[in-house]
Amino acid sequence: MKNAPVQAASGFSYSRAQFEALVDAALAHARHLGATDAGAEASEGCGLSVSVRKGRLETVERNRDKSLGVTVYVGQRRGNASTSDFSPAAIERTVQAAYDIARFTAQDPVAGLPDADDVAPPASHRDLDLFHPWALTSEQAAEIALRCEQAAFATDRRITNSEGAGVSAQQSHFFSAHTHGFRGGYASSRHSISVAPIAGRGDGMQRDAWYSSMRDATELASPEAVGRYAAERALSRLKSRKITTRECPVLFESPLAAGLLGAFVQAVSGGSLYRKSSFLVDSLGKPVFAPHLDLTEDPFVPRGKGSAAFDEEGVRTQARTVVAGGRVEGYFLSTYSARKLGMRTTGNAGGSHNLTLTSRLTQPGDDLDAMLRKLGTGLFVIELMGQGINMVTGDYSRGASGFWVENGEIAYPVQEITIAGNLKDMFAGIEAVGADAYNHGAKTVGSILINRMKVAGS
């Protein structure tokens, strides 16, 4: 990979070569102790975070951490240990600790490193352009944060307060190897600008927030744009009302729609499936979503927030279709969970990679205004509160706020409501996905219209 040879000049204290030497030393000592197999990973992260509030500097934080993690197998017994001390003696003690844990741990018939056939060979470790360090001083970061917050205040006199604005510049790199032939690592970065303005006064105050997050700081939205948009969101919520309890269609704003995808990923991930703690057990090959929906996974998107040429176990990743025409075509499996299910790893140890939900019915002009027209009369949700999802049953109940929509147009803001349903019904009841696609971490999706949910109000 082009960005693999990381030097201290990039802001790190350790180079790729130093990490390789540390990992190799750990593996060599594991073999010396008599381990059947072993894996090790050396990593380092560093960054700067600055926050301001009401025109004043609040915090300046610099972080730097490092770790060496070791996994040792003695037959089908596994032990793990880690250290932040990179001295030879500390590495030997860490490997010894992992070895001792493995010796006294119960046997697990599916424990072990990935099969050699699943390991990503070095030739497949493509450069995904994930490392873009931001050479930012604390003074420069504070100036950007102040510009962002000031833009929010300048939007309207009704922006009366702020929970603050922040700028974060983070980067990390790692090298990993194990005795089934894997060797690899890379550097990555993630930077952000955020602000949370408050509109109104007293009991009528409303808060909202917005942010921009990218691997390359040059692709971040301007601090002024972030501040203005966050202010506009807060202003739009002034004079919110309660509504009576009813059933109606619900439109999820695109950032919230990504959360619905997250619930699906959790439900069809190996750990939930083999423990039978998911409402989608045995869903492979069965219809779960509405038949016009497709869900794809692409680990190879340049600069993607979920991009990786291999997963946390060194297994090769692959572009694939997870849902086709509403039917589940694949799970999200690590080596361990795949073996528990009698299946093969999908290269998802550590999570999903750049998921995109699309509808075969979506037209290029299906922006948010078009989605509101499709909603007709119902609830447009822009904020969710609480964690009311039962992954065993699929029951869904969340505090919410947003807007009541009549005849395809926003009528007034609403608050202090609860929306409820069951995720099976919600997935099957998706009537439309907007062209207003939004990327939230490793998930990209437009606004989602669900045909009917229960809305509890006053």
Side-chain angles (χ1 to χ4, degrees):
M1 297 175 69
K2 184 175 65 179
N3 58 15
V6 181
Q7 303 299 325
S10 297
F12 295 123
S13 298
Y14 293 86
S15 68
R16 162 73 174 254
Q18 288 173 304
F19 274 0
E20 289 197 49
L22 293 170
V23 167
D24 288 343
L27 296 181
H29 193 60
R31 293 189 189 95
H32 172 75
L33 293 175
T36 309
D37 277 307
E41 177 178 303
S43 61
E44 176 188 14
C46 59
L48 168 69
S49 298
V50 173
S51 67
V52 302
R53 181 174 179 270
K54 298 184 72 173
R56 294 178 178 271
L57 181 67
E58 282 224 314
T59 62
V60 177
E61 297 180 3
R62 289 193 176 274
N63 59 285
R64 184 176 294 275
D65 57 79
K66 60 179 183 175
S67 177
L68 176 71
V70 180
T71 301
V72 169
Y73 294 91
V74 178
Q76 290 179 305
R77 297 182 174 92
R78 175 175 54 193
N80 302 90
S82 63
T83 182
S84 58
D85 184 346
F86 287 177
S87 68
I91 292 174
E92 289 191 1
R93 287 195 299 270
T94 302
V95 175
Q96 183 72 57
Y99 180 77
D100 290 341
I101 292 169
R103 286 193 304 132
F104 295 105
T105 297
Q107 287 204 39
D108 187 335
V110 300
L113 293 172
D115 295 339
D117 290 345
D118 292 324
V119 171
S124 70
H125 300 185
R126 65 179 75 178
D127 173 25
L128 297 173
D129 197 21
L130 305 181
F131 184 53
H132 296 270
W134 193 4
L136 193 68
T137 66
S138 56
E139 292 80 9
Q140 290 170 328
E143 189 267 337
I144 293 170
L146 288 167
R147 283 166 53 196
C148 184
E149 186 185 51
Q150 179 54 40
F153 276 114
T155 302
D156 192 288
R157 288 185 301 175
R158 292 172 295 171
I159 300 297
T160 57
N161 208 335
S162 167
E163 291 186 356
V167 171
S168 177
Q170 301 292 327
Q171 60 190 60
S172 62
H173 73 124
F174 74 95
F175 178 79
S176 176
H178 59 59
T179 52
H180 279 194
F182 176 74
R183 296 182 69 83
Y186 53 84
S188 62
S189 56
R190 184 76 66 88
H191 315 300
S192 66
I193 301 171
S194 61
V195 66
I198 297 170
R201 298 182 184 278
D203 294 339
M205 287 193 304
Q206 293 290 339
R207 170 205 175 275
D208 213 310
W210 198 248
Y211 72 96
S212 177
S213 175
M214 293 289 174
R215 291 197 181 275
D216 186 346
T218 64
E219 296 179 349
L220 290 170
S222 73
E224 290 79 11
V226 174
R228 284 193 299 270
Y229 187 58
E232 290 166 359
R233 291 176 65 91
L235 290 164
S236 71
R237 299 172 66 166
L238 289 173
K239 298 182 179 179
S240 288
R241 311 182 196 176
K242 298 180 182 179
I243 56 175
T244 58
T245 298
R246 64 193 72 188
E247 286 193 358
C248 64
V250 174
L251 177 64
F252 286 79
E253 188 183 25
S254 48
L256 303 185
L260 296 177
L261 280 189
F264 169 73
V265 172
Q266 183 179 346
V268 294
S269 289
S272 298
L273 295 171
Y274 78 72
R275 296 185 185 98
K276 298 193 180 299
S277 59
S278 166
F279 67 97
L280 291 180
V281 169
D282 298 325
S283 59
L284 192 64
K286 298 177 182 178
V288 168
F289 287 90
H292 58 93
L293 297 175
D294 300 305
L295 180 64
T296 58
E297 181 179 37
D298 185 357
F300 309 124
V301 177
R303 304 190 185 188
K305 295 171 189 172
S307 295
F310 47 83
D311 72 3
E312 291 185 353
E313 298 176 317
V315 170
R316 62 169 65 87
T317 54
Q318 57 184 318
R320 61 181 180 137
T321 298
V322 179
V323 173
R327 193 176 300 273
V328 177
E329 300 291 335
Y331 292 152
F332 296 87
L333 306 177
S334 65
T335 297
Y336 185 86
S337 63
R339 288 172 180 162
K340 291 285 282 188
L341 293 166
M343 303 177 75
R344 188 171 183 176
T345 175
T346 58
N348 289 108
S352 60
H353 307 286
N354 299 323
L355 296 178
T356 302
L357 182 71
T358 56
S359 167
R360 300 175 186 183
L361 305 178
T362 301
Q363 300 297 316
D366 285 342
D367 58 10
L368 181 56
D369 288 339
M371 292 296 287
L372 290 172
R373 290 192 293 271
K374 291 184 180 185
L375 171 64
T377 297
L379 181 66
F380 173 37
V381 178
I382 67 167
E383 184 179 16
L384 293 170
M385 288 80 76
Q387 302 295 323
I389 303 178
N390 186 323
M391 294 305 299
V392 177
T393 64
D395 288 338
Y396 181 99
S397 179
R398 305 282 301 275
S401 60
F403 302 91
W404 183 251
V405 177
E406 293 181 355
N407 299 317
E409 294 186 356
I410 290 176
Y412 49 83
V414 296
Q415 63 180 0
E416 296 180 17
I417 56 177
T418 300
I419 59 174
N422 185 277
L423 284 169
K424 274 191 175 181
D425 297 330
M426 292 165 64
F427 292 157
I430 295 176
E431 291 190 342
V433 176
D436 54 336
Y438 177 84
N439 174 262
H440 184 81
K443 301 172 183 67
T444 300
V445 61
S447 52
I448 284 181
L449 174 59
I450 294 176
N451 57 4
R452 186 156 295 271
M453 293 185 70
K454 295 177 182 177
V455 179
S458 57

